[in-house]
Amino acid sequence: ATQLLWINLITDTLPAVALGMDPGDPNVMNEKPRNVKENFFSNGGGKKIFIAGILIGLLTIAAFLIGYFEHGYNPFMDTIPEDIHEYARTMAFLTIIACQLFYSLSFRHEYKSIFRVGIFSNKYLVFAIILGFALQLMVLFVPILRESFKLQVIGIYDWLKVIGLGLVPLLVNEMIKLFSKKAK
């Protein structure tokens, strides 16, 4: 339960506030008005959310399984040392947060790439992502927090896996934008 609350705090609060301060698209007035019957899920919005949710879920499960298989275990074995459980849980915990923090960049614009919008044009969002990762490091390196969350300190190669998995939803969304009909 503690981990779920932390995930919501880090991935929902910080990026949401930062996205609310986004400078926006200067060409927004050149676009056709939206139909009054459209909602957030119209024009493929629901499909994007579904794809991202499934993808982030699968990547989190993959990180969890990596945590076991790297050490010669699988999650269905009867006798698994507690440190292996903690390692797998840590990999999943860090991956789901990395996925969501990086994926927040894709919400800057509905169909323009983050490279066209500018990755650093919303300094608040960049700060929110950095702060999110800094808070993650705090949870891992402050012993009382690490014990409360039942996590383990991970190595640099594990962080590379977490970051690599965390970037996948953003890259998939950028590919969808690249090949969408509305891309300009």
Side-chain angles (χ1 to χ4, degrees):
T2 308
Q3 288 183 0
L4 288 175
L5 291 171
W6 184 258
I7 290 167
N8 285 334
L9 177 70
I10 297 299
T11 63
D12 292 342
T13 308
L14 298 172
V17 170
L19 284 167
M21 294 188 237
D22 198 79
D25 186 1
N27 298 322
V28 73
M29 296 307 288
N30 295 335
E31 295 179 20
K32 289 182 181 179
R34 291 184 182 183
N35 186 326
V36 294
K37 294 181 181 179
E38 283 184 16
N39 61 38
F40 183 74
F41 300 103
S42 299
N43 298 321
K47 189 165 89 172
K48 283 182 188 177
I49 291 170
F50 180 77
I51 290 169
I54 295 294
L55 187 56
I56 290 171
L58 289 173
L59 291 166
T60 302
I61 291 168
F64 187 69
L65 293 174
I66 287 169
Y68 285 106
F69 293 132
E70 268 188 350
H71 293 94
Y73 293 92
N74 77 56
F76 304 108
M77 295 175 110
D78 289 332
T79 55
I80 301 172
E82 184 58 31
D83 65 316
I84 301 301
H85 286 303
E86 284 183 1
Y87 174 75
R89 191 172 31 241
T90 301
M91 291 297 288
F93 179 69
L94 295 174
T95 298
I96 195 170
I97 290 175
C99 284
Q100 292 185 11
L101 286 174
F102 287 134
Y103 191 64
S104 66
L105 288 167
S106 70
F107 289 100
R108 300 274 321 279
H109 198 280
E110 184 179 356
Y111 56 88
K112 286 184 183 176
S113 167
I114 58 168
F115 300 109
R116 289 191 59 208
V117 173
I119 294 174
F120 300 105
S121 61
N122 183 340
K123 62 185 176 210
Y124 302 108
L125 184 57
V126 173
F127 178 74
I129 292 168
I130 291 169
L131 181 59
F133 278 108
L135 290 169
Q136 283 303 98
L137 290 172
M138 182 184 76
V139 165
L140 281 179
F141 289 107
V142 174
I144 193 161
L145 293 174
R146 183 174 58 243
E147 291 169 22
S148 298
F149 283 87
K150 298 187 184 324
L151 300 172
Q152 277 186 14
V153 174
I154 62 170
I156 188 73
Y157 294 112
D158 298 322
W159 273 108
L160 292 174
K161 290 173 205 161
V162 166
I163 299 298
L165 291 169
L167 285 168
V168 170
L170 174 63
L171 297 175
V172 167
N173 192 61
E174 289 300 302
M175 294 300 290
I176 290 170
K177 286 180 185 181
L178 180 67
F179 294 110
S180 75
K181 294 178 213 169
K182 287 187 172 183
K184 295 179 181 177

